[in-house]
Amino acid sequence: AFFNDLLGSVQYFFTRAEGTFGITVSCNLWPDKIVVAAKGQPISLAFDPDRPLVMWSSEPASLATVWPTSGARPKAAATGRIDMDDAVGEAIEL
């Protein structure tokens, strides 16, 4: 069932899905939205409110990357991190 809402559709998927997974969902109807979802698989999101940047990975250590700079001291690409609750299943719309 498609509810004309990307996050709602992913949450409906959770009610019927079996097993463990980490998925990223996008749709050409809403090209500016992405839904990241996890159930039984660790997913972490890293972000910096000063930059148009969000990264996600199943390995949190990989989110410690640096932002490329010219001549200045390298700065972490992300200043904040959210660890999704994969035990019960969670979806986040970006």
Side-chain angles (χ1 to χ4, degrees):
F2 183 69
F3 300 106
N4 207 21
D5 170 37
L6 194 58
L7 180 59
S9 297
V10 171
Q11 289 171 331
Y12 178 73
F13 166 78
F14 270 118
T15 66
R16 303 181 62 120
E18 295 181 16
T20 63
F21 54 85
I23 60 172
T24 302
V25 181
S26 61
C27 177
N28 62 352
L29 294 175
W30 300 283
D32 59 337
K33 296 188 185 294
I34 295 173
V35 174
V36 179
K39 182 178 177 187
Q41 296 288 326
I43 298 283
S44 296
L45 292 93
F47 59 92
D48 185 343
D50 295 330
R51 298 186 183 111
L53 172 72
V54 177
M55 304 178 289
W56 55 93
S57 173
S58 61
E59 179 54 54
S62 68
L63 299 174
T65 188
V66 296
W67 188 262
T69 59
S70 58
R73 185 176 174 181
K75 181 181 174 184
T79 58
R81 189 174 103 192
I82 297 172
D83 296 320
M84 296 179 67
D85 184 2
D86 61 289
V88 295
E90 186 173 26
I92 297 175
E93 184 176 81
L94 306 174

